[in-house]
């Protein structure tokens, strides 16, 4: 159905190939940076969230590799790379 | 000759060079070309038709666009402009809806047929520099040397960044576009959009769809699916109250959209950043041993609500190939020799467009376009069409009451700015 699906369900429609490494990591000590909180707003896959301690967390599964969080937060806050060749999302339509 | 990235720009360069009999190696990180690529999707063919004369006949297009709509979406109503000129249905068609996983994979095959070598599942990790010049890349733990590297690795272009030609991108100069592929039977699509045969429809939405933020919504009909999505400035999104995923769900629930996608099956959810900083945000396009093309060079544009990047990607890939051929004649791959790329780009529609529209990003930052005007047009229509219980107010004074002196001045100001575009 094309009704509102919820993100998990929506991302579940995609083909993802397992990656050995987490390709995006929050830099140590920057978890509470206010700028990092913007990632929660911009990530189309909704993978960033703020935990009870006020720290931003990233769930990497479901990443669309769109690059938006890197543009919003910059390399100062995020260790950002694409997944290894052949891993990660594989769009069938695009 | 090494090309980083097997998207449109990389494949266009590879196709052109292989056709000249050169050895070309394309390194692509996806399982196949297109596996990582997203577009709205509409490709305008005219600007690139003659660069690749043999390609178009068999290209895997979805539908040719014969019905255009712009929808000004206010909170509770919307006003639509419909353009279905018979000229849109005459061959050669000017634009087509496409799906990248299909299109890029096909284009890769055409480049391979010409003799290009494509290695997929292969991520380029670094550029190799010697005395300030690029002499190759690291990929899959291997050192690969090349007289020139063409960076076609898309919007973030780590290749150009590592070669020192650009800095990491900043939110102001980029948008994010994300969309759902919604499958529907062919007959249902044709009936809902009033299409005959292979005709397609394109609809662009501005206003409430982005809640006044810079950007818009889009809908394209494919053969047996609909591409439905949102493009929104990242910087605006960072200020807002609404998170990106919510925006597209609200869009889907609008009555204008809901009925078009009813009973459809969401088959994919994809997203991608888009450069739209215009001329000012472009990085350096060449250096010693390196050329940059397509999104990697910042060659995409958002004029109002329609994004264009694919023709620029295809054409800049082609032009990068021409520049390489010229440098090869001289056996000189220095920045000075490769600067012919800039010259060829300047002469092409690419830089002409970027110069013509160089004020567009600043002008369009004006939130009135994405909020105020769509609401105002909707309100006027409501007042014109509403027939109350009792006497109806005269139409002209109704319209006039909205257009007080101050308002007219503000509109004239906006118009003056728009006239720069
Ligand atoms: C939602 C949305 C809607 C859009 N709508 C339109 C539209 O309607 N019309 C239009 O003309 N344009 C549109 N655009 C813009 C258009 O899609 C882009 O401008 C175009 O895809 C750019 O092509 P490219 O070849 O430069 O880059 P890409 O298509 O991004 O290709 C880059 C390639 O490089 C590969 N790569 C990246 N890094 C590496 C690495 N380190 N190693 C190996 N490979 C690598 C990637 O996997 C990819 O295949 C839209 C964009 C989006 C996101
Ligand atoms: S790359 Fe895109 S999808 Fe992945 S975490 Fe960043 S914003 Fe989210």
């Amino acid at each position: 159905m094309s009704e509102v699906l919820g993100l998990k369900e929506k991302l579940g429609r995609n083909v993802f190939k397992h990656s050995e490494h987490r390709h995006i990591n929050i830099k140590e000590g920057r978890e509470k940076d206010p700028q990092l909180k913007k990632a929660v707003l911009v990530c189309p896959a909704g993978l960033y969230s703020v935990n009870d301690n006020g720290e931003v967390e990233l769930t990497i599964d479901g990443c669309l590799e769109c690059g938006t969080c890197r543009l919003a937060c910059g390399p100062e806050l995020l260790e950002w790379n694409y997944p290894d060749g052949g891993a990660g999302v594989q769009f069938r339509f695009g | 000759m090494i090309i980083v990235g097997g998207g449109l720009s990389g494949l266009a360069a590879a196709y052109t060079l292989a056709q000249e009999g050169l050895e070309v190696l394309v390194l692509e990180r996806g399982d196949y070309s297109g596996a990582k690529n997203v577009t709205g999707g509409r490709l305008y063919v005219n600007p690139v038709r003659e660069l690749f004369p043999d390609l178009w006949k068999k290209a895997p297009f979805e539908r040719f666009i014969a019905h255009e709509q712009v929808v000004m979406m206010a909170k509770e109503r919307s006003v639509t402009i419909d353009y279905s000129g018979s000229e849109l249905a005459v061959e050669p068609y000017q634009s087509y809806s496409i799906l990248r996983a299909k299109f890029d994979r096909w284009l890769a095959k055409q480049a391979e047929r010409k003799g290009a070598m494509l290695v997929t599942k292969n991520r380029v990790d670094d550029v190799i520099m010697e005395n300030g010049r690029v002499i190759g890349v690291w990929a899959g733990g291997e050192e690969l040397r090349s007289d020139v590297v063409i960076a076609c690795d898309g919007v973030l272009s780590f290749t150009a960044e590592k070669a020192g030609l650009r800095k990491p991108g900043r939110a102001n100069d980029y948008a994010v576009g994300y969309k759902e592929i919604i499958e529907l039977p062919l007959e249902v699509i044709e009936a809902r959009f009033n299409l005959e045969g292979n005709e397609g429809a394109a609809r662009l939405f501005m206003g409430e769809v982005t809640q006044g933020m810079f950007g818009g919504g889009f809908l394209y009909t494919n053969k047996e699916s609909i591409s439905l999505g949102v493009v929104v400035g990242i910087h605006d999104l960072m200020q807002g109250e609404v998170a990106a995923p919510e925006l597209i769900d609200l869009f889907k629930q609008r009555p204008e959209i809901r009925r078009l996608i009813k009973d459809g099956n969401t088959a994919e959810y994809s997203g991608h950043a888009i450069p739209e900083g215009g001329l000012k945000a472009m990085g350096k396009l060449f250096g010693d041993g390196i050329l940059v093309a397509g999104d990697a060079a910042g060659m995409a544009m958002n004029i109002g609500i329609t994004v264009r990047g694919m023709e620029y990607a295809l054409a800049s890939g082609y032009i990068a190939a021409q520049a390489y051929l010229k440098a090869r004649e001289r056996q000189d791959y220095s920045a000075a020799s490769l600067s012919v790329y800039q010259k060829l780009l300047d002469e092409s529609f690419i830089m002409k467009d970027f110069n013509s529209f160089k004020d567009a990003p600043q002008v369009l930052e004006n939130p009135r376009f994405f909020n105020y005007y769509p609401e105002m047009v909707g309100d006027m229509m409501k007042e014109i069409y509403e027939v109350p219980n009792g006497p109806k107010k005269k139409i002209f004074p109704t319209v006039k009451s909205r257009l007080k002196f101050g308002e007219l001045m503000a509109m004239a100001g906006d118009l003056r700015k728009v006239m720069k575009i």
Side-chain angles (χ1 to χ4, degrees):
Chain A
M1 292 294 114
S2 63
E3 280 79 70
V4 172
L5 288 175
L7 272 174
K8 268 230 168 74
E9 170 80 32
K10 223 188 257 193
L11 293 169
R13 306 289 165 101
N14 291 354
V15 173
F16 291 101
K17 281 178 63 192
H18 178 70
S19 178
E20 300 277 307
H21 313 103
R22 275 176 70 94
H23 62 281
I24 307 171
N25 286 293
I26 296 166
K27 287 207 171 158
E28 248 180 70
R30 307 303 292 268
E31 294 83 355
K32 292 186 176 178
D33 197 295
Q35 185 76 8
L36 191 61
K37 300 210 166 98
K38 307 284 188 193
V40 180
L41 287 167
V42 303
C43 173
L47 301 178
Y48 288 86
S49 59
V50 182
N51 69 18
D52 293 344
N53 298 327
E55 294 163 341
V56 177
E57 291 176 341
L58 165 65
T59 315
I60 201 71
D61 292 336
C63 177
L64 304 172
E65 302 165 32
C66 68
T68 310
C69 55
R70 194 200 197 231
L71 294 162
C73 302
E76 302 78 22
L77 301 180
L78 295 176
E79 204 86 62
W80 207 106
N81 203 347
Y82 289 117
D84 299 335
V89 73
Q90 311 289 339
F91 295 126
R92 291 159 301 134
F93 298 89
Chain B
M1 153 60 48
I2 289 177
I3 296 172
V4 186
L8 293 181
S9 51
L11 293 171
Y15 180 91
T16 310
L17 289 168
Q19 199 165 28
E20 296 294 323
L22 299 191
E23 258 182 48
V24 196
L25 175 63
V26 182
L27 301 168
E28 165 58 47
R29 67 188 185 88
D31 266 8
Y32 42 84
S33 273
K36 305 288 183 178
N37 304 345
V38 184
T39 198
R42 172 216 302 247
L43 176 69
Y44 285 95
V45 181
N46 288 341
V48 289
R49 200 182 300 275
E50 278 155 28
L51 304 183
F52 315 96
D54 307 331
L55 270 187
W56 309 115
K57 233 189 200 122
K58 292 196 177 146
F61 296 128
E62 293 297 312
R63 290 172 179 273
F64 71 89
I65 304 300
H67 303 274
E68 307 271 5
Q69 285 191 358
V70 176
V71 183
M72 277 162 286
M73 208 175 230
K75 279 203 172 57
E76 306 196 350
R77 53 190 73 88
S78 59
V79 177
T80 301
I81 300 171
D82 185 296
Y83 164 48
S84 305
S86 51
E87 62 273 19
L88 292 175
V90 176
E91 282 191 86
Y93 306 124
Q94 75 156 357
S95 74
Y96 296 87
S97 52
I98 72 167
L99 294 168
R100 294 291 298 277
K102 222 160 140 188
F103 190 86
D104 290 18
R105 206 168 350 182
W106 172 83
L107 187 57
K109 204 155 267 148
Q110 307 314 305
E112 283 179 314
R113 236 176 237 160
K114 295 276 179 195
M117 194 158 129
L118 175 74
V119 182
T120 56
K121 306 182 194 185
N122 203 311
R123 184 186 69 193
V124 168
D125 291 323
D126 209 348
V127 292
I128 308 171
M129 311 269 294
E130 202 176 84
N131 303 323
R133 59 173 297 145
V134 174
I135 56 160
V137 296
W138 275 103
E142 264 184 88
E143 188 182 304
L144 302 165
R145 295 202 165 219
S146 174
D147 42 18
V148 172
V149 170
I150 310 186
C152 297
D153 47 346
V155 58
L156 298 183
S157 191
F158 290 113
T159 305
E161 193 178 305
K162 285 179 171 142
L165 297 184
R166 62 174 280 179
K167 295 210 169 71
R170 287 295 171 191
N172 276 326
D173 296 325
Y174 298 84
V176 53
Y178 46 109
K179 71 171 190 184
E180 289 187 26
I181 295 290
I182 300 170
E183 291 177 322
L184 280 167
L186 189 123
E187 317 78 65
V188 174
I189 292 182
E190 292 178 356
R192 281 187 194 171
F193 292 88
N194 210 2
L195 307 174
E196 264 178 7
N198 214 23
E199 285 182 353
R203 295 191 184 176
L204 302 169
F205 302 81
M206 61 189 298
E208 187 57 18
V209 52
T210 55
Q211 307 203 354
M213 291 183 279
F214 181 88
F218 61 84
L219 182 158
Y220 294 99
T221 54
N222 304 311
K223 275 205 177 79
E224 295 182 283
S225 66
I226 286 172
S227 296
L228 181 76
V230 175
V231 173
V232 54
I234 297 176
H235 182 260
D236 276 15
L237 206 48
M238 287 163 72
Q239 316 307 314
E241 300 289 305
V242 53
E246 208 183 322
L247 214 53
I248 189 170
D249 282 344
L250 291 171
F251 183 42
K252 280 178 74 180
Q253 290 169 66
R254 290 282 302 209
E256 300 90 332
I257 299 297
R258 210 172 48 211
R259 66 197 65 195
L260 294 173
I261 59 173
K262 188 168 171 277
D263 297 329
N265 171 50
T266 295
E268 186 169 90
Y269 180 54
S270 59
H272 211 279
I274 309 170
E276 53 179 26
L279 200 56
K280 284 200 188 87
M282 262 188 202
K284 281 194 69 184
L285 302 173
F286 59 91
D288 286 315
I290 183 168
L291 297 167
V292 192
D295 272 9
M299 291 175 189
M301 205 188 298
N302 188 351
I303 327 165
I305 33 184
T306 146
V307 178
R308 282 184 62 194
M310 292 191 284
E311 306 94 77
Y312 299 129
L314 287 166
S316 61
Y318 171 88
I319 294 170
Q322 301 301 325
Y324 172 76
L325 290 171
K326 289 214 154 48
R328 190 165 180 271
E329 280 169 23
R330 295 187 284 265
Q331 285 292 306
D332 175 0
Y333 304 108
S334 65
S337 173
L338 289 173
S339 70
V340 64
Y341 179 47
Q342 179 80 55
K343 186 172 157 278
L344 294 173
L345 282 171
D346 286 344
E347 289 164 4
S348 74
F349 73 96
I350 302 178
M351 287 320 231
K352 287 186 181 144
D353 278 1
F354 274 85
N355 274 301
S356 303
F357 295 106
K358 70 176 184 302
D359 294 317
Q362 285 75 35
V363 171
L364 295 169
E365 260 167 32
N366 185 345
R368 285 166 61 93
F369 293 122
F370 301 99
N371 192 338
Y372 180 75
Y373 288 122
E375 286 294 339
M376 186 183 83
V377 171
D379 282 352
M380 278 198 200
M381 291 307 263
K382 171 169 177 278
E383 285 170 21
I384 289 169
Y385 276 92
E386 200 167 45
V387 175
N389 176 4
K392 184 168 164 64
K393 276 190 252 161
K394 280 189 166 183
I395 289 175
F396 183 66
T398 305
V399 174
K400 212 174 106 194
S401 71
R402 302 215 149 257
L403 304 176
K404 297 245 163 61
F405 182 70
E407 177 48 39
L408 283 174
M409 288 305 283
M411 281 169 88
D414 288 344
L415 186 65
R416 207 163 40 239
K417 285 183 217 136
V418 168
M419 276 156 51
K420 280 200 203 163
I421 302 182

